[in-house]
Amino acid sequence: MSTYITAFVVCDFDYVRTTERGNEIRVWARKEVIKNGFANFSLDIVGPILSYMENLLNVTYPLLKTDLVAMPDIGVAAMENWGLITFQEASLMYNPKQRFSNSKALTCLIVAHEIGHQWFGNLVTMKWWNDIWLNEGFASYFEYIGASFIDPKLKMNELFMMHNLLNIFESETRASARAVSIEEKEINNVELIEPLFDEFSYSKAAALIRMASSFLTEILFLKGISFIDDQDEVKLPMPLKNIMDSWTWKKGVPLVTLNTSTGTLSQGMWKIGNNENDTSDSNHTWIIPISWMKNGIQKQSIWLDTKTKNVPEMKTSDDEWIILNINVTGYYKTNYDVKNWNSIAKKLEEDNGFLPVVNRVQIMDDAFIFANAGYMQYETTLNLTRYLEKEMEILVWYRVLKHLNNYKKSLVTYHSFPLIKKYILKRINPIFQHYASIIRRNFEETVDDIFVHTGIDEIFKTACFLGLKDCLDLASELYTKWMANTSTNEIPHSIKGSVYCYGIAEGGEKEWDFAWNYYNESDIEDHWELAFLNHGLSCTKEPWLLYRYLKDSMNSGSHNMLDVLLHMVKNDIGRHVAWDFLKENWHQINDINMKESNHFYEMLLPDLGSKATSELQFQELELFITTTMDESSRDNELEWLHAKKKARLEWINIVNTRITDWLQGNTLDSDF
């Protein structure tokens, strides 16, 4: 047994227990926590996951007991010590009264991950730390399988897309990106081990393992964990090791491009931002499994094992379309020629049910990312959004709105706002009304639905921001009910931020004072509640209340001054009040934040710069930096501001011309 999975726990805890196939299972925690029943959910799921893993892997769990211990203070979410798994208390304990949150789903994921380690890492341990990605990758992959087994609402593909792929694809574009595999000789001292426990050892490794499971088929994959090359069930272009080595020893995400006019597939490194000048992997060839669909019919998968490949069947006529990477099991991004993108857009308008949810997420996500990076025209991206009136999957909307509400590339200017309002409200209204009726009728229906509680606030926030009357009325209604009876706050946690914001925005001094007094006089321990109130107070439309909020925050110290300013500059009215206040009171604000003055600039200036719309506004910011910053850091900030100005003014011009022109042609039938 490896020494790193040895643990001793000495405590005065209590426990709940059960047995599963003769294995004694106990969940330990502080006595009051056990008494409150917070350990019961974990106890209910451990045994079934253990049995499921035994059946799946056909390897018996070798120990006679399994203890899970909830520790009030531990540096990691959990640790897979063999038969004695330690957890942060919040990771293992579930309070059934904490409804409408993601905590139950996260407990499922963390428990399944650590149980997966009982096989991957404990029963079979890597020779050295350079291969830790196999430990963590397999455990991370099986956490999704285990969690979706426990709760069918946690659909495997959607959950993996939301919690893994979207994040790791973004991480791959950063300068810190690395390959998952590292030479053993590179890890020659203990200080080099800890950095390996990053998103590449966990998320990317899990994504590569999921891809292998997909192209091998799950049955063969599970058999092949023991031995894989001696089989003839799935035709591979070369031994599995060679295929996977093309992935594990190189950083980055491949970009697969299909030209449907010629039927040509090509691959290259997906690059964006800081990595655009990085040529270290530009000649690398991945061995890529391409699953694909033509006109709704799934075709035989092919392998792209060269830089380009001509596939005659991928040539299309005008009324045909192709989608690559079905269920997004392949670890790559896909781009098409304009003809195919527009054919996909047209098909989605006719019927979106032909495509798995994760492919609709992928299409919308990639289209915005490609447009922002200059790979495709914004008009082509916007064509794909026309179908959204029929889109009732909250995960798709969540990603679309993340892009539409992106402050760096916002489609909203004073010029475009009336058109954006018409265009988006026509499409968001159906899904908003669906969830508004559930909120009014019985929000219990959505308890523990991780997709609803991840995405509903973006829908609520966008609908209210764009002035949808039903949204503003609902926010006011929920806020007023809470004011009438603070002892039972029935506002669902997942929309509290928006309800507080628009409840206060639609109200006046009375609504603002209520939140201010509640914040300052109540003994609030929940940091989310404090954050929601802090933000909500900045949403009032009354400039004098905003000014008072800034003044009181500066003088009392009960609110973090930087947080208040950051919230306020995101609102159109608040930004002007905050900017004037900042200039008037800079010396006092600087004294308060003396130790963090550079941090203060780093946090605040990007938001101010992202809202500037003219040369003159940028000159104001430049004057402020020149006047207030010390010489040691002034030049860096000015250099950043000049780069920001160029990009920002170019973007404003695109929105006010091309995007506004497109919107004018696509809002003719809108009633909003």
Side-chain angles (χ1 to χ4, degrees):
M1 172 176 160
S2 295
T3 53
Y4 81 93
I5 51 174
T6 309
F8 297 91
V9 174
V10 181
C11 62
D12 186 23
F13 284 1
D14 210 342
Y15 66 88
V16 287
R17 69 177 296 279
T18 186
T19 58
E20 179 86 9
R21 296 182 177 177
N23 176 8
E24 182 182 31
I25 297 167
R26 295 179 296 185
V27 179
W28 298 77
R30 293 180 295 123
K31 290 177 179 177
E32 61 268 33
V33 175
I34 294 290
K35 186 179 177 182
N36 288 334
F38 296 173
N40 295 347
F41 175 66
S42 295
L43 186 72
D44 288 343
I45 68 175
V46 173
I49 294 175
L50 276 166
S51 295
Y52 180 66
M53 290 289 290
E54 279 189 334
N55 297 341
L56 202 62
L57 301 170
N58 199 25
V59 176
T60 304
Y61 178 72
L63 305 182
L64 298 177
K65 69 93 175 175
T66 307
D67 287 301
L68 292 82
V69 185
M71 299 181 141
D73 187 18
I74 181 176
V76 292
M79 177 58 204
E80 67 268 16
N81 314 292
W82 211 1
L84 175 50
I85 311 171
T86 52
F87 294 80
Q88 278 181 5
E89 188 174 277
S91 299
L92 189 61
M93 298 294 100
Y94 171 68
N95 178 356
K97 291 180 182 175
Q98 255 189 347
R99 307 179 77 68
F100 317 121
S101 74
N102 295 335
S103 60
K104 188 184 253 189
L106 295 176
T107 295
C108 279
L109 288 164
I110 293 167
V111 169
H113 180 102
E114 303 309 324
I115 290 175
H117 269 310
Q118 306 305 298
W119 282 266
F120 300 99
N122 296 6
L123 192 60
V124 177
T125 308
M126 299 303 105
K127 180 183 174 186
W128 191 237
W129 299 97
N130 61 306
D131 282 328
I132 198 64
W133 70 270
L134 283 164
N135 265 26
E136 297 303 345
F138 270 100
S140 297
Y141 173 62
F142 280 102
E143 79 181 55
Y144 292 96
I145 292 176
S148 56
F149 163 72
I150 288 294
D151 183 355
K153 288 201 301 289
L154 301 174
K155 300 167 189 170
M156 165 72 182
N157 282 338
E158 283 93 326
L159 194 62
F160 200 90
M161 187 83 185
M162 181 174 75
H163 264 264
N164 182 301
L165 285 176
L166 293 170
N167 298 323
I168 192 62
F169 280 163
E170 188 176 324
S171 297
E172 286 276 31
T173 65
R174 295 176 188 149
S176 58
R178 67 171 182 85
V180 296
S181 289
I182 293 172
E183 294 282 1
E184 184 178 335
K185 64 187 178 188
E186 291 183 36
I187 312 301
N188 52 20
N189 72 65
V190 72
E191 291 178 0
L192 298 174
I193 296 170
E194 190 173 351
L196 296 178
F197 288 84
D198 60 9
E199 64 263 52
F200 301 100
S201 286
Y202 286 77
S203 297
K204 180 172 182 177
L208 297 182
I209 290 164
R210 174 173 173 260
M211 177 171 68
S213 174
S214 176
F215 69 70
L216 290 169
T217 72
E218 187 179 14
I219 293 170
L220 184 59
F221 170 75
L222 291 169
K223 283 165 60 179
I225 287 171
S226 304
F227 191 74
I228 193 65
D229 288 326
D230 188 19
Q231 59 85 27
D232 54 12
E233 296 171 46
V234 174
K235 185 171 175 56
L236 301 176
M238 57 191 71
L240 182 66
K241 181 183 187 316
N242 298 52
I243 295 171
M244 296 310 292
D245 277 356
S246 81
W247 296 89
T248 62
W249 290 99
K250 291 295 178 185
K251 67 178 181 180
V253 182
L255 173 62
V256 174
T257 304
L258 170 63
N259 185 329
T260 59
S261 296
T262 61
T264 304
L265 272 176
S266 58
Q267 64 162 287
M269 169 79 82
W270 162 240
K271 291 184 178 180
I272 186 173
N274 294 335
N275 285 355
E276 287 190 357
N277 296 323
D278 181 5
T279 58
S280 58
D281 290 301
S282 57
N283 293 321
H284 179 66
T285 301
W286 287 270
I287 302 163
I288 307 175
I290 307 285
S291 57
W292 61 294
M293 175 192 292
K294 185 175 186 179
N295 300 337
I297 299 167
Q298 192 152 348
K299 301 290 189 176
Q300 179 73 40
S301 294
I302 61 172
W303 288 91
L304 180 58
D305 51 2
T306 52
K307 281 290 185 186
T308 62
K309 179 174 280 191
N310 194 259
V311 186
E313 203 183 348
M314 288 188 176
K315 193 173 178 179
T316 62
S317 57
D318 289 344
D319 59 345
E320 294 181 312
W321 51 270
I322 286 176
I323 299 284
L324 304 181
N325 201 5
I326 306 306
N327 282 318
V328 201
T329 55
Y331 192 77
Y332 55 91
K333 288 186 166 290
T334 53
N335 196 6
Y336 309 99
D337 55 290
V338 175
K339 181 186 78 168
N340 196 56
W341 276 123
N342 286 336
S343 295
I344 293 169
K346 184 181 175 186
K347 180 61 184 171
L348 283 169
E349 285 187 83
E350 294 168 5
D351 167 33
N352 62 52
F354 71 96
L355 260 189
V357 173
V358 288
N359 278 103
R360 304 204 300 270
V361 174
Q362 175 211 29
I363 283 169
M364 302 311 298
D365 202 53
D366 280 353
F368 277 99
I369 290 169
F370 291 157
N372 287 337
Y375 283 74
M376 65 192 278
Q377 298 294 319
Y378 276 96
E379 291 86 346
T380 308
T381 296
L382 291 170
N383 287 342
L384 288 157
T385 67
R386 286 196 296 239
Y387 93 98
L388 286 170
E389 191 175 357
K390 299 174 183 174
E391 182 57 80
M392 297 303 287
E393 286 288 345
I394 202 162
L395 181 55
V396 181
W397 269 105
Y398 174 65
R399 288 310 296 180
V400 169
L401 294 177
K402 279 289 184 186
H403 289 292
L404 290 175
N405 296 332
N406 176 2
Y407 74 90
K408 290 181 181 176
K409 291 277 189 175
S410 173
L411 298 182
V412 176
T413 63
Y414 294 128
H415 189 58
S416 69
F417 183 83
L419 293 168
I420 280 286
K421 175 177 178 173
K422 280 185 177 184
Y423 184 77
I424 299 298
L425 287 188
K426 176 179 167 60
R427 284 153 183 82
I428 206 172
N429 191 49
I431 195 167
F432 172 81
Q433 297 298 349
H434 172 73
Y435 284 104
S437 67
I438 293 175
I439 290 166
R440 285 195 167 104
R441 183 178 71 243
N442 180 18
F443 205 55
E444 294 282 322
E445 293 173 25
T446 70
V447 164
D448 305 318
D449 187 323
I450 192 170
F451 302 108
V452 169
H453 297 293
T454 298
I456 191 171
D457 193 56
E458 284 292 329
I459 289 172
F460 204 99
K461 178 174 70 178
T462 304
C464 281
F465 168 72
L466 293 174
L468 184 66
K469 187 173 185 306
D470 290 347
C471 183
L472 298 171
D473 288 349
L474 181 54
S476 295
E477 178 188 324
L478 293 169
Y479 191 83
T480 303
K481 279 184 183 175
W482 177 47
M483 286 177 65
N485 186 1
T486 54
S487 60
T488 57
N489 189 340
E490 295 180 3
I491 302 170
H493 179 272
S494 41
I495 57 169
K496 249 186 196 181
S498 290
V499 170
Y500 285 2
C501 179
Y502 288 98
I504 290 170
E506 288 301 290
E509 184 179 3
K510 182 176 73 170
E511 285 73 16
W512 193 92
D513 281 343
F514 173 81
W516 174 260
N517 293 332
Y518 186 80
Y519 184 104
N520 290 293
E521 294 170 10
S522 304
D523 187 18
I524 305 169
E525 294 183 1
D526 182 352
H527 75 280
W528 282 111
E529 182 75 3
L530 292 170
F532 293 150
L533 285 163
N534 221 335
H535 173 239
L537 287 162
S538 74
C539 293
T540 178
K541 295 173 184 174
E542 299 286 352
W544 68 275
L545 282 173
L546 291 167
Y547 186 86
R548 191 174 81 185
Y549 184 25
L550 287 164
K551 195 83 173 169
D552 288 348
S553 298
M554 183 175 70
N555 293 334
S556 70
S558 60
H559 296 243
N560 183 309
M561 191 70 205
L562 178 56
D563 283 347
V564 174
L565 283 162
L566 283 171
H567 286 310
M568 213 171 279
V569 298
K570 288 182 171 67
N571 296 333
D572 282 335
I573 299 171
R575 183 168 69 261
H576 299 294
V577 176
W579 179 227
D580 286 345
F581 188 88
L582 188 63
K583 290 182 289 186
E584 288 169 18
N585 299 279
W586 172 249
H587 293 297
Q588 191 174 344
I589 293 169
N590 195 39
D591 288 343
I592 295 169
N593 296 277
M594 183 65 77
K595 291 178 183 175
E596 297 184 345
S597 59
N598 283 348
H599 177 64
F600 197 82
Y601 279 100
E602 287 163 12
M603 295 294 288
L604 200 56
L605 285 173
D607 278 356
L608 286 167
S610 70
K611 295 291 186 178
T613 57
S614 69
E615 179 81 38
L616 192 58
Q617 288 173 10
F618 275 102
Q619 285 177 14
E620 278 191 80
L621 282 170
E622 187 175 335
L623 179 63
F624 181 72
I625 291 169
T626 305
T627 308
T628 62
M629 283 195 84
D630 60 74
E631 285 186 42
S632 60
S633 33
R634 184 188 302 155
D635 289 346
N636 286 341
E637 289 300 331
L638 288 173
E639 188 180 335
W640 171 87
L641 189 67
H642 288 147
K644 180 77 179 178
K645 177 174 74 172
K646 183 175 184 296
R648 175 69 181 157
L649 295 181
E650 283 175 1
W651 175 245
I652 291 292
N653 184 53
I654 289 171
V655 172
N656 288 344
T657 54
R658 287 170 43 199
I659 290 175
T660 298
D661 287 348
W662 186 93
L663 287 167
Q664 281 174 333
N666 285 275
T667 52
L668 301 175
D669 60 344
S670 177
D671 297 327
F672 290 93

